[in-house]
Amino acid sequence: MSIETTPGELASLADKRAAGFGLEAPFYTSPEIYEQDLDLIFGQHWIFAVAEAEIPDPGDYVTVDLGPHSVIVVRDDDENVRAFRNVCRHRGSRLLDSGCGSIGNIVCPYHQWTYRVDGSLIFAESQADTFEYGKFGLKPVNVRAVGGLVFLCLADEPPADFDEVSELIEPYLKPYGLASAKIAHQTDIVEEGNWKLVMENNRECHHCDASHPELLTAYFPISRYEAEDVPPRLQQVFERYQEAQAELEKAREVIDFPNGDVCQLEGKATGFQISHLPLDGAGASFGPDGQQLCAKLMGSIEDPRFGDLSLHMQPNSWFHFLGDHAVVFSVIPLAVDRTLVRTTWLVNPEAVEGVDYSVESLTSVWRATNDQDRVLVEGTQRGVTDPGYVPGPYSEVEGEVDAFVTWYVQRIQANA
């Protein structure tokens, strides 16, 4: 199959995708389509960047690289979250090379043009008297903090539906106190697979029963099943899940937590899903048999058996919020067949490592799960590269994968 190159040709190829089936091989293997993904998907939509807790104090920053774009996400002196192009307005030098840190001002290493953390230029040596500082501040990037999660958009006109999505999500996130949480640990892994395969793998747990033994000690393998979809071998597990779901509903009522799942994964620019699921065993966390992993609970959560509030955002993130900690995931494309998966664990700001939690125990399940997923994604990348690959049909429990691919096709068609 020939490789499409222009946005119009890409849209035509997307039009050929059969409903309920995967994408053709070039969507995972073509460098040209990868470049279009960076422009039409990552350049036009709201992207999850960092947890607010990663930049707790004025001057704290994280740099985020998306293809050729580099963005500084920084907390200014008024404690607002801001984002700027990581490019000096003088000769174009990269300003900050480190992935994170803390600064008083942003100083260009080339000729020392100096910017406040609000982006304003305050020093530029040997300029004419007519030089206007106000015209050469850092170029801002659209940024929004939602319930302690920071999103950015590179487009001049970001998708307007993000306000509506924020209003829906924030009441669910507020009880966890994410903005003031403490970063307990963070890992980066590089998966040798296209970014869409990473996302598709996340969007279903059809593979969990066979591939994620650690995760299943606390996580029901049938959480996405309808009663009629449950195979006989999982019937007893499903009945236990229903009992745990009833207990979780009681716990929500006690603290007036929002009721109801929301699924808007396709059909709009900012696709998302939020759902609140019970955990198996003790029902508290990802410890052995669902045991609690951090002694201090998140935010205003009172009952450690508060299940897993799961948030999925298109195109590059997913989140798990539990009573005793939170885990946030971001996906950053590095090449057509290489993807960075960043995992960050957050705990109560008063929690003390070695007293209230251990990093080893807190991170054990998801470090193992991430590595197992890496193997699955890399195997799929090798498969879709094989000339024998033909897209197959999704099963009845892979609806979120279908929704992700449908959203991707819709957004390519809308922006091409």
mmCIF file with all atom_site columns, all heavy atoms in Angstrom, residues 81-97:
data_model
loop_
_atom_site.group_PDB
_atom_site.id
_atom_site.type_symbol
_atom_site.label_atom_id
_atom_site.label_alt_id
_atom_site.label_comp_id
_atom_site.label_asym_id
_atom_site.label_entity_id
_atom_site.label_seq_id
_atom_site.pdbx_PDB_ins_code
_atom_site.Cartn_x
_atom_site.Cartn_y
_atom_site.Cartn_z
_atom_site.occupancy
_atom_site.B_iso_or_equiv
_atom_site.pdbx_formal_charge
_atom_site.auth_seq_id
_atom_site.auth_comp_id
_atom_site.auth_asym_id
_atom_site.auth_atom_id
_atom_site.pdbx_PDB_model_num
ATOM 1   N N   . VAL A 1 81 ? -0.401 28.906 36.815 1.00 0.00 ? 81 VAL A N   1
ATOM 2   C CA  . VAL A 1 81 ? 0.306  28.021 35.887 1.00 0.00 ? 81 VAL A CA  1
ATOM 3   C C   . VAL A 1 81 ? 0.322  28.679 34.512 1.00 0.00 ? 81 VAL A C   1
ATOM 4   O O   . VAL A 1 81 ? -0.718 29.083 33.993 1.00 0.00 ? 81 VAL A O   1
ATOM 5   C CB  . VAL A 1 81 ? -0.371 26.637 35.794 1.00 0.00 ? 81 VAL A CB  1
ATOM 6   C CG1 . VAL A 1 81 ? 0.351  25.753 34.768 1.00 0.00 ? 81 VAL A CG1 1
ATOM 7   C CG2 . VAL A 1 81 ? -0.382 25.954 37.156 1.00 0.00 ? 81 VAL A CG2 1
ATOM 8   N N   . ARG A 1 82 ? 1.503  28.812 33.947 1.00 0.00 ? 82 ARG A N   1
ATOM 9   C CA  . ARG A 1 82 ? 1.661  29.409 32.624 1.00 0.00 ? 82 ARG A CA  1
ATOM 10  C C   . ARG A 1 82 ? 2.439  28.462 31.721 1.00 0.00 ? 82 ARG A C   1
ATOM 11  O O   . ARG A 1 82 ? 3.138  27.559 32.204 1.00 0.00 ? 82 ARG A O   1
ATOM 12  C CB  . ARG A 1 82 ? 2.391  30.751 32.719 1.00 0.00 ? 82 ARG A CB  1
ATOM 13  C CG  . ARG A 1 82 ? 1.597  31.859 33.413 1.00 0.00 ? 82 ARG A CG  1
ATOM 14  C CD  . ARG A 1 82 ? 2.444  33.101 33.540 1.00 0.00 ? 82 ARG A CD  1
ATOM 15  N NE  . ARG A 1 82 ? 1.724  34.230 34.121 1.00 0.00 ? 82 ARG A NE  1
ATOM 16  C CZ  . ARG A 1 82 ? 1.085  35.167 33.415 1.00 0.00 ? 82 ARG A CZ  1
ATOM 17  N NH1 . ARG A 1 82 ? 1.097  35.099 32.092 1.00 0.00 ? 82 ARG A NH1 1
ATOM 18  N NH2 . ARG A 1 82 ? 0.466  36.156 34.013 1.00 0.00 ? 82 ARG A NH2 1
ATOM 19  N N   . ALA A 1 83 ? 2.327  28.702 30.416 1.00 0.00 ? 83 ALA A N   1
ATOM 20  C CA  . ALA A 1 83 ? 3.075  27.893 29.447 1.00 0.00 ? 83 ALA A CA  1
ATOM 21  C C   . ALA A 1 83 ? 3.584  28.803 28.336 1.00 0.00 ? 83 ALA A C   1
ATOM 22  O O   . ALA A 1 83 ? 2.855  29.697 27.872 1.00 0.00 ? 83 ALA A O   1
ATOM 23  C CB  . ALA A 1 83 ? 2.197  26.788 28.869 1.00 0.00 ? 83 ALA A CB  1
ATOM 24  N N   . PHE A 1 84 ? 4.834  28.572 27.938 1.00 0.00 ? 84 PHE A N   1
ATOM 25  C CA  . PHE A 1 84 ? 5.468  29.399 26.906 1.00 0.00 ? 84 PHE A CA  1
ATOM 26  C C   . PHE A 1 84 ? 6.263  28.509 25.953 1.00 0.00 ? 84 PHE A C   1
ATOM 27  O O   . PHE A 1 84 ? 6.758  27.443 26.337 1.00 0.00 ? 84 PHE A O   1
ATOM 28  C CB  . PHE A 1 84 ? 6.431  30.412 27.537 1.00 0.00 ? 84 PHE A CB  1
ATOM 29  C CG  . PHE A 1 84 ? 5.795  31.313 28.546 1.00 0.00 ? 84 PHE A CG  1
ATOM 30  C CD1 . PHE A 1 84 ? 5.967  31.078 29.906 1.00 0.00 ? 84 PHE A CD1 1
ATOM 31  C CD2 . PHE A 1 84 ? 5.005  32.385 28.148 1.00 0.00 ? 84 PHE A CD2 1
ATOM 32  C CE1 . PHE A 1 84 ? 5.371  31.908 30.846 1.00 0.00 ? 84 PHE A CE1 1
ATOM 33  C CE2 . PHE A 1 84 ? 4.409  33.218 29.083 1.00 0.00 ? 84 PHE A CE2 1
ATOM 34  C CZ  . PHE A 1 84 ? 4.588  32.977 30.429 1.00 0.00 ? 84 PHE A CZ  1
ATOM 35  N N   . ARG A 1 85 ? 6.413  29.011 24.731 1.00 0.00 ? 85 ARG A N   1
ATOM 36  C CA  . ARG A 1 85 ? 7.340  28.378 23.808 1.00 0.00 ? 85 ARG A CA  1
ATOM 37  C C   . ARG A 1 85 ? 8.745  28.460 24.393 1.00 0.00 ? 85 ARG A C   1
ATOM 38  O O   . ARG A 1 85 ? 9.173  29.518 24.876 1.00 0.00 ? 85 ARG A O   1
ATOM 39  C CB  . ARG A 1 85 ? 7.300  29.086 22.451 1.00 0.00 ? 85 ARG A CB  1
ATOM 40  C CG  . ARG A 1 85 ? 5.953  29.009 21.749 1.00 0.00 ? 85 ARG A CG  1
ATOM 41  C CD  . ARG A 1 85 ? 5.780  27.691 21.045 1.00 0.00 ? 85 ARG A CD  1
ATOM 42  N NE  . ARG A 1 85 ? 4.516  27.638 20.318 1.00 0.00 ? 85 ARG A NE  1
ATOM 43  C CZ  . ARG A 1 85 ? 4.180  26.657 19.490 1.00 0.00 ? 85 ARG A CZ  1
ATOM 44  N NH1 . ARG A 1 85 ? 5.022  25.650 19.285 1.00 0.00 ? 85 ARG A NH1 1
ATOM 45  N NH2 . ARG A 1 85 ? 3.033  26.662 18.876 1.00 0.00 ? 85 ARG A NH2 1
ATOM 46  N N   . ASN A 1 86 ? 9.463  27.363 24.316 1.00 0.00 ? 86 ASN A N   1
ATOM 47  C CA  . ASN A 1 86 ? 10.810 27.278 24.885 1.00 0.00 ? 86 ASN A CA  1
ATOM 48  C C   . ASN A 1 86 ? 11.829 27.813 23.892 1.00 0.00 ? 86 ASN A C   1
ATOM 49  O O   . ASN A 1 86 ? 12.799 27.148 23.537 1.00 0.00 ? 86 ASN A O   1
ATOM 50  C CB  . ASN A 1 86 ? 11.093 25.813 25.257 1.00 0.00 ? 86 ASN A CB  1
ATOM 51  C CG  . ASN A 1 86 ? 12.339 25.638 26.089 1.00 0.00 ? 86 ASN A CG  1
ATOM 52  O OD1 . ASN A 1 86 ? 12.956 26.615 26.538 1.00 0.00 ? 86 ASN A OD1 1
ATOM 53  N ND2 . ASN A 1 86 ? 12.724 24.389 26.301 1.00 0.00 ? 86 ASN A ND2 1
ATOM 54  N N   . VAL A 1 87 ? 11.562 29.028 23.424 1.00 0.00 ? 87 VAL A N   1
ATOM 55  C CA  . VAL A 1 87 ? 12.376 29.635 22.355 1.00 0.00 ? 87 VAL A CA  1
ATOM 56  C C   . VAL A 1 87 ? 12.648 31.094 22.706 1.00 0.00 ? 87 VAL A C   1
ATOM 57  O O   . VAL A 1 87 ? 11.706 31.862 22.980 1.00 0.00 ? 87 VAL A O   1
ATOM 58  C CB  . VAL A 1 87 ? 11.630 29.573 20.999 1.00 0.00 ? 87 VAL A CB  1
ATOM 59  C CG1 . VAL A 1 87 ? 12.468 30.227 19.908 1.00 0.00 ? 87 VAL A CG1 1
ATOM 60  C CG2 . VAL A 1 87 ? 11.287 28.137 20.630 1.00 0.00 ? 87 VAL A CG2 1
ATOM 61  N N   . CYS A 1 88 ? 13.904 31.498 22.679 1.00 0.00 ? 88 CYS A N   1
ATOM 62  C CA  . CYS A 1 88 ? 14.245 32.886 22.967 1.00 0.00 ? 88 CYS A CA  1
ATOM 63  C C   . CYS A 1 88 ? 13.764 33.789 21.822 1.00 0.00 ? 88 CYS A C   1
ATOM 64  O O   . CYS A 1 88 ? 13.882 33.444 20.644 1.00 0.00 ? 88 CYS A O   1
ATOM 65  C CB  . CYS A 1 88 ? 15.757 33.027 23.152 1.00 0.00 ? 88 CYS A CB  1
ATOM 66  S SG  . CYS A 1 88 ? 16.246 34.714 23.628 1.00 0.00 ? 88 CYS A SG  1
ATOM 67  N N   . ARG A 1 89 ? 13.245 34.980 22.180 1.00 0.00 ? 89 ARG A N   1
ATOM 68  C CA  . ARG A 1 89 ? 12.735 35.916 21.181 1.00 0.00 ? 89 ARG A CA  1
ATOM 69  C C   . ARG A 1 89 ? 13.870 36.694 20.496 1.00 0.00 ? 89 ARG A C   1
ATOM 70  O O   . ARG A 1 89 ? 13.618 37.496 19.604 1.00 0.00 ? 89 ARG A O   1
ATOM 71  C CB  . ARG A 1 89 ? 11.760 36.889 21.840 1.00 0.00 ? 89 ARG A CB  1
ATOM 72  C CG  . ARG A 1 89 ? 10.484 36.269 22.368 1.00 0.00 ? 89 ARG A CG  1
ATOM 73  C CD  . ARG A 1 89 ? 9.640  35.632 21.257 1.00 0.00 ? 89 ARG A CD  1
ATOM 74  N NE  . ARG A 1 89 ? 9.366  36.545 20.163 1.00 0.00 ? 89 ARG A NE  1
ATOM 75  C CZ  . ARG A 1 89 ? 8.422  37.489 20.172 1.00 0.00 ? 89 ARG A CZ  1
ATOM 76  N NH1 . ARG A 1 89 ? 7.651  37.610 21.238 1.00 0.00 ? 89 ARG A NH1 1
ATOM 77  N NH2 . ARG A 1 89 ? 8.247  38.283 19.150 1.00 0.00 ? 89 ARG A NH2 1
ATOM 78  N N   . HIS A 1 90 ? 15.119 36.441 20.903 1.00 0.00 ? 90 HIS A N   1
ATOM 79  C CA  . HIS A 1 90 ? 16.257 37.133 20.311 1.00 0.00 ? 90 HIS A CA  1
ATOM 80  C C   . HIS A 1 90 ? 16.749 36.405 19.063 1.00 0.00 ? 90 HIS A C   1
ATOM 81  O O   . HIS A 1 90 ? 16.444 36.782 17.939 1.00 0.00 ? 90 HIS A O   1
ATOM 82  C CB  . HIS A 1 90 ? 17.377 37.250 21.361 1.00 0.00 ? 90 HIS A CB  1
ATOM 83  C CG  . HIS A 1 90 ? 18.609 37.931 20.876 1.00 0.00 ? 90 HIS A CG  1
ATOM 84  N ND1 . HIS A 1 90 ? 19.863 37.610 21.370 1.00 0.00 ? 90 HIS A ND1 1
ATOM 85  C CD2 . HIS A 1 90 ? 18.812 38.904 19.950 1.00 0.00 ? 90 HIS A CD2 1
ATOM 86  C CE1 . HIS A 1 90 ? 20.769 38.366 20.775 1.00 0.00 ? 90 HIS A CE1 1
ATOM 87  N NE2 . HIS A 1 90 ? 20.154 39.165 19.906 1.00 0.00 ? 90 HIS A NE2 1
ATOM 88  N N   . ARG A 1 91 ? 17.451 35.300 19.247 1.00 0.00 ? 91 ARG A N   1
ATOM 89  C CA  . ARG A 1 91 ? 18.017 34.565 18.121 1.00 0.00 ? 91 ARG A CA  1
ATOM 90  C C   . ARG A 1 91 ? 17.467 33.146 18.032 1.00 0.00 ? 91 ARG A C   1
ATOM 91  O O   . ARG A 1 91 ? 17.965 32.332 17.254 1.00 0.00 ? 91 ARG A O   1
ATOM 92  C CB  . ARG A 1 91 ? 19.546 34.535 18.249 1.00 0.00 ? 91 ARG A CB  1
ATOM 93  C CG  . ARG A 1 91 ? 20.226 35.923 18.224 1.00 0.00 ? 91 ARG A CG  1
ATOM 94  C CD  . ARG A 1 91 ? 20.534 36.368 16.819 1.00 0.00 ? 91 ARG A CD  1
ATOM 95  N NE  . ARG A 1 91 ? 21.515 35.482 16.204 1.00 0.00 ? 91 ARG A NE  1
ATOM 96  C CZ  . ARG A 1 91 ? 22.842 35.553 16.412 1.00 0.00 ? 91 ARG A CZ  1
ATOM 97  N NH1 . ARG A 1 91 ? 23.334 36.490 17.204 1.00 0.00 ? 91 ARG A NH1 1
ATOM 98  N NH2 . ARG A 1 91 ? 23.667 34.713 15.830 1.00 0.00 ? 91 ARG A NH2 1
ATOM 99  N N   . GLY A 1 92 ? 16.470 32.856 18.847 1.00 0.00 ? 92 GLY A N   1
ATOM 100 C CA  . GLY A 1 92 ? 15.799 31.566 18.732 1.00 0.00 ? 92 GLY A CA  1
ATOM 101 C C   . GLY A 1 92 ? 16.395 30.430 19.526 1.00 0.00 ? 92 GLY A C   1
ATOM 102 O O   . GLY A 1 92 ? 16.000 29.275 19.349 1.00 0.00 ? 92 GLY A O   1
ATOM 103 N N   . SER A 1 93 ? 17.335 30.716 20.413 1.00 0.00 ? 93 SER A N   1
ATOM 104 C CA  . SER A 1 93 ? 17.951 29.636 21.180 1.00 0.00 ? 93 SER A CA  1
ATOM 105 C C   . SER A 1 93 ? 16.931 28.931 22.078 1.00 0.00 ? 93 SER A C   1
ATOM 106 O O   . SER A 1 93 ? 15.988 29.552 22.573 1.00 0.00 ? 93 SER A O   1
ATOM 107 C CB  . SER A 1 93 ? 19.072 30.208 22.048 1.00 0.00 ? 93 SER A CB  1
ATOM 108 O OG  . SER A 1 93 ? 19.579 29.229 22.930 1.00 0.00 ? 93 SER A OG  1
ATOM 109 N N   . ARG A 1 94 ? 17.133 27.624 22.280 1.00 0.00 ? 94 ARG A N   1
ATOM 110 C CA  . ARG A 1 94 ? 16.371 26.911 23.298 1.00 0.00 ? 94 ARG A CA  1
ATOM 111 C C   . ARG A 1 94 ? 16.733 27.522 24.654 1.00 0.00 ? 94 ARG A C   1
ATOM 112 O O   . ARG A 1 94 ? 17.909 27.738 24.964 1.00 0.00 ? 94 ARG A O   1
ATOM 113 C CB  . ARG A 1 94 ? 16.737 25.417 23.267 1.00 0.00 ? 94 ARG A CB  1
ATOM 114 C CG  . ARG A 1 94 ? 16.044 24.542 24.311 1.00 0.00 ? 94 ARG A CG  1
ATOM 115 C CD  . ARG A 1 94 ? 14.552 24.477 24.132 1.00 0.00 ? 94 ARG A CD  1
ATOM 116 N NE  . ARG A 1 94 ? 14.118 24.126 22.798 1.00 0.00 ? 94 ARG A NE  1
ATOM 117 C CZ  . ARG A 1 94 ? 13.941 22.882 22.356 1.00 0.00 ? 94 ARG A CZ  1
ATOM 118 N NH1 . ARG A 1 94 ? 14.175 21.867 23.145 1.00 0.00 ? 94 ARG A NH1 1
ATOM 119 N NH2 . ARG A 1 94 ? 13.539 22.664 21.119 1.00 0.00 ? 94 ARG A NH2 1
ATOM 120 N N   . LEU A 1 95 ? 15.712 27.790 25.476 1.00 0.00 ? 95 LEU A N   1
ATOM 121 C CA  . LEU A 1 95 ? 15.933 28.463 26.756 1.00 0.00 ? 95 LEU A CA  1
ATOM 122 C C   . LEU A 1 95 ? 16.283 27.494 27.871 1.00 0.00 ? 95 LEU A C   1
ATOM 123 O O   . LEU A 1 95 ? 17.244 27.690 28.615 1.00 0.00 ? 95 LEU A O   1
ATOM 124 C CB  . LEU A 1 95 ? 14.689 29.272 27.129 1.00 0.00 ? 95 LEU A CB  1
ATOM 125 C CG  . LEU A 1 95 ? 14.386 30.470 26.210 1.00 0.00 ? 95 LEU A CG  1
ATOM 126 C CD1 . LEU A 1 95 ? 12.969 30.967 26.445 1.00 0.00 ? 95 LEU A CD1 1
ATOM 127 C CD2 . LEU A 1 95 ? 15.392 31.583 26.466 1.00 0.00 ? 95 LEU A CD2 1
ATOM 128 N N   . LEU A 1 96 ? 15.471 26.449 28.010 1.00 0.00 ? 96 LEU A N   1
ATOM 129 C CA  . LEU A 1 96 ? 15.669 25.495 29.097 1.00 0.00 ? 96 LEU A CA  1
ATOM 130 C C   . LEU A 1 96 ? 15.837 24.103 28.496 1.00 0.00 ? 96 LEU A C   1
ATOM 131 O O   . LEU A 1 96 ? 14.958 23.615 27.795 1.00 0.00 ? 96 LEU A O   1
ATOM 132 C CB  . LEU A 1 96 ? 14.472 25.526 30.058 1.00 0.00 ? 96 LEU A CB  1
ATOM 133 C CG  . LEU A 1 96 ? 14.200 26.867 30.757 1.00 0.00 ? 96 LEU A CG  1
ATOM 134 C CD1 . LEU A 1 96 ? 12.899 26.797 31.558 1.00 0.00 ? 96 LEU A CD1 1
ATOM 135 C CD2 . LEU A 1 96 ? 15.361 27.235 31.677 1.00 0.00 ? 96 LEU A CD2 1
ATOM 136 N N   . ASP A 1 97 ? 16.961 23.460 28.797 1.00 0.00 ? 97 ASP A N   1
ATOM 137 C CA  . ASP A 1 97 ? 17.215 22.111 28.282 1.00 0.00 ? 97 ASP A CA  1
ATOM 138 C C   . ASP A 1 97 ? 16.791 21.025 29.249 1.00 0.00 ? 97 ASP A C   1
ATOM 139 O O   . ASP A 1 97 ? 16.519 19.893 28.853 1.00 0.00 ? 97 ASP A O   1
ATOM 140 C CB  . ASP A 1 97 ? 18.701 21.953 27.956 1.00 0.00 ? 97 ASP A CB  1
ATOM 141 C CG  . ASP A 1 97 ? 19.050 22.567 26.605 1.00 0.00 ? 97 ASP A CG  1
ATOM 142 O OD1 . ASP A 1 97 ? 18.199 22.517 25.697 1.00 0.00 ? 97 ASP A OD1 1
ATOM 143 O OD2 . ASP A 1 97 ? 20.166 23.112 26.470 1.00 0.00 ? 97 ASP A OD2 1
#
